[in-house]
């Protein structure tokens, strides 16, 4: 019996398992993907030619997470974190980007190319 327990511990601590666990924690899940597509749709529908700013990215992530899970809830905070982890940052880009172009980036990250592909 002890041999089986040791084998289980040895298999669970393999480096591949750590990599798999790290990937599972950071993988883009379906609810986050849907929220990203919703944000992309809103950005491309509302003033798509304006410059996208980092504060806009932050506010959209928080607003859509709060709309989905309720304002100030633990689930909304977690959803905001997942969104921000996968939404490309704006402040590190060397050139400005429009809201419409950023919507295209979000759709690419979410696995969708155009709004019609929904």
């Amino acid at each position: 019996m002890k041999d089986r327990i040791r084998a289980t511990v040895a298999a669970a601590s393999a480096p591949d398992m750590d990599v798999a666990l790290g990937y599972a924690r950071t993988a883009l899940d379906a609810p986050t993907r849907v929220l990203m597509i919703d944000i992309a749709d809103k950005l491309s529908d509302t003033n798509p030619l304006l410059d996208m700013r980092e504060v806009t990215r932050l506010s959209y992530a928080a607003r859509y997470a709060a709309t989905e899970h309720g304002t100030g809830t633990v689930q909304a905070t977690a959803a905001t974190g997942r969104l921000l982890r996968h939404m490309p940052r704006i402040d590190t880009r060397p050139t400005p980007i429009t809201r419409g172009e950023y919507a295209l980036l979000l759709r690419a990250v979410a696995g969708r190319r155009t709004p019609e592909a929904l």
Side-chain angles (χ1 to χ4, degrees):
M1 187 62 123
K2 289 183 179 180
D3 291 334
R4 285 190 213 156
I5 293 171
R6 285 188 199 130
T8 303
V9 171
S13 64
D16 293 339
M17 297 296 278
D18 292 336
V19 171
L21 182 60
Y23 178 74
R25 288 183 180 154
T26 60
L28 183 61
D29 58 351
T32 305
R33 186 182 314 271
V34 169
L35 287 176
M36 284 179 64
I37 292 171
D38 290 344
I39 292 170
D41 291 343
K42 183 66 172 182
L43 288 172
S44 61
D45 291 341
T46 308
N47 300 321
L49 299 178
L50 289 179
D51 283 346
M52 182 69 182
R53 299 181 303 150
E54 182 65 16
V55 68
T56 306
R57 179 183 84 96
L58 298 172
S59 67
Y60 270 90
R63 184 183 325 153
Y64 275 77
T67 300
E68 182 71 23
H69 299 287
T71 304
T73 63
V74 174
Q75 293 87 356
T77 303
T80 302
R82 286 190 303 271
L83 279 169
L84 292 175
R85 183 180 306 127
H86 295 289
M87 293 172 71
R89 292 183 62 109
I90 304 299
D91 55 356
T92 59
R93 298 184 63 86
T95 59
I97 185 172
T98 66
R99 293 165 56 105
E101 292 168 337
Y102 190 72
L104 291 174
L105 283 175
L106 288 182
R107 286 188 186 104
V109 170
R112 303 279 166 91
R113 296 292 179 209
T114 62
E116 293 80 27
L118 298 174

